[in-house]
Amino acid sequence: MQWQDIVREFVTLFVVIDPVGSIPVFMYATAAIPARLHRSFALRAVLVAAIVLGVFLVGGQLLLEAIGLRLGTFQIAGGIVLFLFALSMIFGESKADSEIKEAETEDLSGAVFPLAIPSIASPGALLAIVILTDNHANAVAEQALTGAVLAVVLLLTFVLLLMAGRIQRLIGHTGVSVVSRVMGLILATVAVDAVLEGLEQMGVLALSASPS
């Protein structure tokens, strides 16, 4: 594998995992969790995402081929889930309102959903891993190198999530509430685009756009 191939895979995985896009999700998911647990929250999320992506790296292609699943269905399902989460970010209770209830919790289940899945280990990331490690086109050594590139991207994701905690403390509770709602709107747009892309891959949009 050439250096340009490694760079291409890095860029591909960085875009589909989108560590920067996971920052507002992290801030929202940790709104009611003590700051001392944010590092554990981020670490758990990245580890869970790494396990899920690792499973797809090893056996994702075999699974998809075995059940005859079309790639577009991943895009549609992931888009719907992200859209529902985006609605909760936009219309849900703000951080300031939640503090009135003194509702701090040590529950880290939010590290799995929605941060690890589907924010970090997104449907697009799962599909990208399957494509980049095509068993019919890539040797085992090349697939292992793709796994190493994936590990680097996940490490960068962890670092950015730790920085997100500092951003949260810097801008304050009101700032977090405003950013959460703005990012929720952006996330909703991304989710709709994912659904449309999935429909296009499955030929649904082309079919509906054709003259009757």
Side-chain angles (χ1 to χ4, degrees):
M1 183 179 292
Q2 302 296 323
W3 276 108
Q4 54 266 33
D5 295 327
I6 297 176
V7 173
R8 178 181 58 82
E9 291 195 355
F10 175 83
V11 172
T12 299
L13 291 174
F14 189 87
V15 170
V16 295
I17 292 176
D18 190 13
V20 177
S22 295
I23 291 177
V25 180
F26 176 83
M27 294 172 66
Y28 179 82
T30 57
I33 294 177
R36 59 185 173 82
L37 295 178
H38 286 189
R39 179 183 293 271
S40 298
F41 192 98
L43 180 60
R44 177 177 295 191
V46 172
L47 288 178
V48 170
I51 292 173
V52 173
L53 290 169
V55 169
F56 266 75
L57 187 150
V58 175
Q61 183 175 356
L62 297 177
L63 175 63
L64 293 178
E65 291 177 350
I67 63 181
L69 190 62
R70 289 177 290 181
L71 302 183
T73 57
F74 262 117
Q75 291 288 102
I76 296 173
I80 292 174
V81 172
L82 284 177
F83 184 77
L84 293 176
F85 178 64
L87 290 182
S88 70
M89 293 177 67
I90 297 171
F91 299 109
E93 190 176 41
S94 69
K95 176 69 163 58
D97 293 337
S98 65
E99 286 187 339
I100 297 176
K101 300 179 180 179
E102 303 286 341
E104 276 201 340
T105 175
E106 297 192 5
D107 181 14
L108 301 184
S109 59
V112 177
F113 176 85
L115 186 54
I117 305 170
S119 182
I120 300 175
S122 64
L126 297 177
L127 291 178
I129 283 295
V130 173
I131 294 172
L132 292 175
T133 57
D134 186 356
N135 297 332
H136 306 303
N138 300 300
V140 174
E142 295 175 328
Q143 297 182 36
L145 187 56
T146 300
V149 174
L150 172 63
V152 172
V153 174
L154 290 175
L155 179 60
L156 289 176
T157 302
F158 177 66
V159 172
L160 286 175
L161 292 182
L162 295 183
M163 293 175 61
R166 298 178 183 177
I167 294 173
Q168 181 177 358
R169 292 191 296 271
L170 177 64
I171 64 179
H173 305 321
T174 303
V176 169
S177 178
V178 172
V179 170
S180 177
R181 280 159 171 73
V182 172
M183 291 300 151
L185 181 60
I186 296 175
L187 184 60
T189 305
V190 173
V192 171
D193 184 71
V195 172
L196 293 178
E197 183 178 347
L199 291 173
E200 184 177 0
Q201 289 182 5
M202 296 177 65
V204 175
L205 289 183
L207 179 62
S208 62
S210 61
S212 56

